[in-house]
Amino acid sequence: MIAAFGRRYIFSASHRLDAPALDADQNRAAYGKCNNAHGHGHNYFLQVMVAGPVNEETGMVVDMAALDETVRRLVLDRFDQANLNFDPLFADCVPTTENLCREIFSLLQNALPAGVLDQLRVEETENNFFECLREVD
Ligand code: NI
């Protein structure tokens, strides 16, 4: 049996959605208020699902403190209170929730203390979220 452990984190970041491939009118049409030149902020909820067997000795899929440390070091320290547009990861890609979720998935994918990254969810607003799922062989 494979089990999955979930943990939620929160960080606050700002961004402006403005794709270099689009002109000003197209950017306004595509992103609406999110294209505002001054940017805006979100409180992002990040949900990390780690899949794997339950360790017989510890009774856990992954050590929660070790997972917290990994997420803090690779994600929260990087993005909390940051302007996402200034992060090198978004130098050539628009910091939408979709791209943010994909980048966080890449950052964590091979860095977990145990198990595999099964699912990652980033909630940008109450009504707006995105998920990346592990590719199954
Ligand atoms: Ni936004």
Side-chain angles (χ1 to χ4, degrees), residues 1-12:
M1 182 194 69
I2 296 294
F5 173 77
R7 183 89 164 138
R8 280 169 76 82
Y9 304 90
I10 186 170
F11 62 94
S12 302

Side-chain angles (χ1 to χ4, degrees), residues 71-82:
V71 173
R72 183 193 61 73
R73 183 168 46 84
L74 295 178
V75 179
L76 305 182
D77 282 357
R78 179 170 194 153
F79 295 130
D80 190 37
Q81 306 300 321

Side-chain angles (χ1 to χ4, degrees), residues 13-17 33-34 40-42 44 95 97 124-125 128:
S14 64
H15 68 174
R16 180 193 183 205
L17 303 184
K33 286 190 295 186
C34 294
H40 60 276
H42 295 282
Y44 289 98
T97 315
E124 190 180 60
T125 70
N128 174 7

